[in-house]
Amino acid sequence: QSALTQPASMSASPGQSITISCTGTSSDVGTYNLVSWYQHHPGKAPKLIIYEVSNRPSGVSNRFSGSKSGNTASLTISGLQAEDEADYHCCSYAGSINYVVFGGGTKLTVL
Amino acid sequence: QVQLVESGGGVVRPGGSLRLSCAASGFTFSSYAMHWVRQAPGKGLEWVAVMSYHGIHKYYADSVEGRLAISRDNSKNTVYLEVNRLIPEDTAVYYCARDSLGGDPKWFWFDLWGQGTPVTVFS
């Protein structure tokens, strides 16, 4: 069982927006503004799309945005496109003992 | 081209060992801590090990402590993960990933990943 809780799967139509939640605890998501999100197309290298809760690396589409409230972080993808169909993993720094925790991943289907 | 390429995975019997490699290119490898993260079938990602940029400090997840050994050769731009006394629960795709910022491990985020190498523990 993963330390962070994500929905196992979500689906939406092209052009719609979708929000993926990632729930942790006060020991990780709730304490540190160090939540990151990764897009993973099976068989490819995972790709960092959000870091420090809401920052986008250079080259990542502004259709991806992140936020956090309490122990729950969220990834919103707007204007869904077929290429957004992938697995999305959240991650949080968890301090000097547990270091880092991941979510179980969310499989996004673009219908 | 900035990239990480893993190799060395395979099918191994329980109790066996494997040495995974991750070759880096396109960036100053010796400036970054390097991690290994794995994903078991149907499960989420799991961080397992990291080595500091100079190879002095290494840290492991409790779940694998004592059975994994991380090392690196900065002259070859390569980080290694030796997995010993393999058990079925070690079956996973193993990814190497670059630490977010240069220097010692920070675990803040992972800004570069490889495509992974699969390990199957099968009797």
Side-chain angles (χ1 to χ4, degrees):
Chain A
Q1 191 164 343
S2 300
L4 305 180
T5 301
Q6 298 179 237
S9 62
M10 299 185 75
S11 62
S13 300
Q16 290 186 325
S17 295
I18 196 165
T19 297
I20 301 172
S21 62
C22 170
T23 301
T25 69
S26 57
S27 297
D28 37 67
V29 175
T31 293
Y32 302 102
N33 289 322
L34 291 166
V35 175
S36 53
W37 290 88
Y38 304 88
Q39 179 190 58
H40 187 201
H41 291 102
K44 301 285 186 66
K47 176 186 177 183
L48 174 69
I49 56 173
I50 294 288
Y51 67 99
E52 289 182 314
V53 176
S54 60
N55 292 328
R56 280 188 309 276
S58 174
V60 173
S61 171
N62 59 9
R63 298 186 298 105
F64 294 92
S65 61
S67 63
K68 189 186 87 167
S69 177
N71 295 339
T72 298
S74 299
L75 171 71
T76 297
I77 311 172
S78 59
L80 274 168
Q81 300 177 1
E83 67 238 37
D84 298 331
E85 185 163 294
D87 297 326
Y88 291 86
H89 300 271
C90 65
C91 174
S92 175
Y93 179 68
S96 58
I97 295 177
N98 293 318
Y99 304 127
V100 67
V101 289
F102 286 94
T106 297
K107 182 177 180 61
L108 173 63
T109 300
V110 180
L111 301 169
Chain B
Q1 185 179 0
V2 178
Q3 64 176 2
L4 300 170
V5 179
E6 301 93 337
S7 61
V11 180
V12 189
R13 292 187 182 276
S17 298
L18 272 179
R19 190 195 198 201
L20 310 180
S21 300
C22 169
S25 59
F27 64 97
T28 306
F29 178 75
S30 59
S31 295
Y32 290 88
M34 295 298 297
H35 300 261
W36 286 93
V37 178
R38 69 184 181 183
Q39 184 175 24
K43 300 293 181 65
L45 296 168
E46 178 191 21
W47 174 81
V48 293
V50 63
M51 175 163 269
S52 60
Y53 68 104
H54 42 41
I56 293 176
H57 303 302
K58 55 188 81 171
Y59 304 90
Y60 300 96
D62 289 344
S63 60
V64 300
E65 186 75 55
R67 296 192 303 111
L68 267 58
I70 189 172
S71 60
R72 67 189 293 162
D73 185 339
N74 285 346
S75 70
K76 295 182 178 179
N77 290 344
T78 301
V79 61
Y80 305 96
L81 183 70
E82 190 164 328
V83 191
N84 301 302
R85 302 193 305 279
L86 281 156
I87 59 178
E89 289 74 19
D90 293 322
T91 294
V93 177
Y94 286 73
Y95 300 94
C96 63
R98 189 174 73 178
D99 197 80
S100 49
L101 305 169
D104 285 323
K106 295 174 180 64
W107 294 272
F108 291 168
W109 61 89
F110 308 96
D111 66 350
L112 180 68
W113 297 66
Q115 85 290 346
T117 186
V119 172
T120 302
V121 183
F122 179 65
S123 59

